[in-house]
Amino acid sequence: MGDQRLNAIRQKMAEASVDAFLVSKPENWRYLSGFTGDSGVLVVTRQEAFIFTDSRYTEQAQEEAPRFTVVETSQDKDAVKETILGLSARKIAFEKEHVSYSAWEQLKERFPDQELLGVSGWVEDLRQKKTPEEIEYITRAQEIADNAFALITQSVKAGVREIDLALELEFTMRKMGSDGVAFPVITVSGVRSSLPHGQPSEKRLEPGDFVTFDFGARFRGYCSDMTRTFVVEPLDQRHREIYETVLRAQLTALEAVRPGIPAKEVDLAGRKVIEEAGYGQYFGHAIGHGVGLNVHEGPRVGKKGETILEPGMVITVEPGIYIPGFGGVRIEDLVLVTEDGKRILSSSPKELTVVKAR
Ligand code: ZN
Ligand code: ZN
């Protein structure tokens, strides 16, 4: 990992007169150091950088994070304390969103004479804007997801269970080179499709169902995220109206994506289409979110998203309409903000797709 990221953190530390910064969230220490383990703590000081981890991970950490001093903590439980006190640090920052109550108690006990400062978003803010390498990994993850989806759509028909489709999609993404899923695959059908984040069940697809797939692959730790909704025949007027309203909202919101505007403008553009069609009450969630090492990260792309979009940010655009007792539709693309507008990373077709009842 480049020193640029550490330098940016050290600048925040200097502004807040902080001598040592304890990083607790694994995605954040992966971002700063390259270390992919999930046990330990990373400490950045004004001059140095350390990874404290147990013997299961020390060799891996040395390999993945050559710029960091790796300290094995299995033998010496006080290694973090001794190192920080050895630097005569007076003010220590920690990630207040990612520290448990017991970890906080331990911090107070270990550093009774130091000032402890809870901070939020120090690393997350940097992570919003992706480097070319990160964009390459996200693009690759999205390609895997699109390719896998093209293969499994042949299996989508009445009589097939939601869980079997979800499993087939996950299996296919793994075979195509995904490190794992970005999040558990969502496959919901019929009345269950009005659950925006429902889990796949043993329900079988039935004639007249909407069926929604929301899924992502992972490549070198980076996520993709997309949603497509089909109709199992017969198609009726209500399906068509809801689907076409969501699609219009999605295309309108995509049209709004460009650098220099607050993220909320993307939400407002798409939401307006749904409201004007009379479905406003059935669209409760934000229209999108940033995607990276976490499937949900900054910037927020909702009604209150004040972050100004910048080239290098990767966001989703995913309006939906969910009608309890009937079903729901969501259409989601992954989008890179570029110098001159945007590049849509998802490539699966979006026109209304009707699959066979048998
Ligand atoms: Zn999604
Ligand atoms: Zn999403």
Side-chain angles (χ1 to χ4, degrees):
M1 295 298 120
D3 287 336
Q4 255 178 341
R5 296 176 184 180
L6 279 181
N7 290 343
I9 289 298
R10 289 197 174 110
Q11 194 173 339
K12 288 181 196 268
M13 289 169 60
E15 282 161 14
S17 308
V18 161
D19 304 303
F21 174 38
L22 274 55
V23 185
S24 304
K25 190 176 168 72
E27 288 84 358
N28 286 347
W29 76 55
R30 179 172 185 160
Y31 182 79
L32 294 176
S33 71
F35 174 47
T36 60
D38 59 4
S39 175
V41 64
L42 182 145
V43 178
V44 182
T45 68
R46 296 291 188 96
Q47 308 291 340
E48 291 169 277
F50 302 88
I51 291 170
F52 295 90
T53 190
D54 63 68
S55 56
R56 292 171 300 166
Y57 291 108
T58 43
E59 197 183 335
Q60 179 188 336
Q62 275 154 2
E63 250 175 57
E64 292 176 334
R67 286 189 178 85
F68 283 66
T69 305
V70 177
V71 183
E72 205 252 293
T73 53
S74 312
Q75 304 299 326
D76 183 2
K77 298 286 175 222
D78 284 329
V80 177
K81 175 179 167 179
E82 284 158 9
T83 305
I84 290 180
L85 292 184
L87 299 166
S88 43
R90 280 169 303 131
K91 193 167 176 184
I92 303 169
F94 63 96
E95 298 186 293
K96 64 178 174 187
E97 258 102 31
H98 311 304
V99 164
S100 67
Y101 187 70
S102 66
W104 159 242
E105 286 187 324
Q106 203 177 47
L107 266 180
K108 282 194 297 186
E109 198 182 293
R110 279 179 174 168
F111 303 109
D113 302 323
Q114 279 68 31
E115 184 183 344
L116 296 169
L117 175 71
V119 299
S120 69
W122 275 15
V123 186
E124 284 88 342
D125 286 353
L126 301 179
R127 284 172 47 193
Q128 296 191 128
K129 221 177 139 172
K130 273 69 183 177
T131 61
E133 187 185 44
E134 293 180 288
I135 292 166
E136 187 189 318
Y137 296 161
I138 294 170
T139 304
R140 184 77 195 104
Q142 183 56 52
E143 279 168 9
I144 292 170
D146 277 307
N147 291 340
F149 191 58
L151 269 187
I152 80 118
T153 43
Q154 295 149 22
S155 312
V156 184
K157 57 186 173 215
V160 181
R161 298 188 306 174
E162 294 170 358
I163 45 171
D164 293 321
L165 289 169
L167 182 61
E168 194 181 339
L169 191 46
E170 175 171 350
F171 181 79
T172 308
M173 290 194 291
R174 294 294 295 265
K175 281 199 87 167
M176 288 179 161
S178 174
D179 307 342
V181 285
F183 55 94
V185 174
I186 296 171
T187 305
V188 285
S189 65
V191 293
R192 303 191 75 252
S193 62
S194 68
L195 308 168
H197 274 190
Q199 290 305 301
S201 74
E202 295 186 30
K203 178 188 172 301
R204 293 176 192 277
L205 307 196
E206 291 167 52
D209 276 358
F210 273 130
V211 49
T212 298
F213 297 88
D214 186 350
F215 58 101
R218 206 180 261 277
F219 188 76
R220 308 241 168 119
Y222 285 82
C223 300
S224 69
D225 188 11
M226 72 180 283
T227 307
R228 289 293 182 267
T229 303
F230 292 165
V231 175
V232 184
E233 66 178 2
L235 172 76
D236 72 26
Q237 200 42 44
R238 201 173 183 199
H239 290 123
R240 189 186 290 280
E241 189 187 313
I242 294 169
Y243 191 89
E244 270 159 12
T245 304
V246 174
L247 182 56
R248 238 179 326 119
Q250 209 255 354
L251 296 173
T252 305
L254 279 175
E255 201 57 44
V257 177
R258 66 176 68 92
I261 60 158
K264 67 181 176 192
E265 283 189 22
V266 177
D267 183 283
L268 297 174
R271 192 170 300 278
K272 188 161 172 254
V273 173
I274 290 177
E275 280 169 358
E276 284 176 1
Y279 292 102
Q281 61 172 309
Y282 302 114
F283 175 31
H285 58 76
I287 211 164
H289 52 85
V291 176
L293 286 169
N294 285 106
V295 71
H296 290 125
E297 56 179 56
R300 292 171 59 176
V301 190
K303 283 184 214 174
K304 292 181 182 149
E306 300 292 347
T307 307
I308 303 293
L309 294 182
E310 286 179 57
M313 289 182 172
V314 176
I315 60 169
T316 67
V317 175
E318 50 177 311
I321 293 176
Y322 312 95
I323 300 180
F326 179 68
V329 172
R330 181 169 60 260
I331 304 171
E332 174 179 29
D333 281 332
L334 193 61
V335 188
L336 167 69
V337 181
T338 61
E339 293 289 345
D340 53 2
K342 64 178 173 292
R343 181 150 58 87
I344 300 173
L345 304 178
S346 335
S347 62
S348 296
K350 288 189 282 195
E351 63 268 23
L352 179 54
T353 301
V354 182
V355 298
K356 293 212 176 322
R358 59 181 66 248

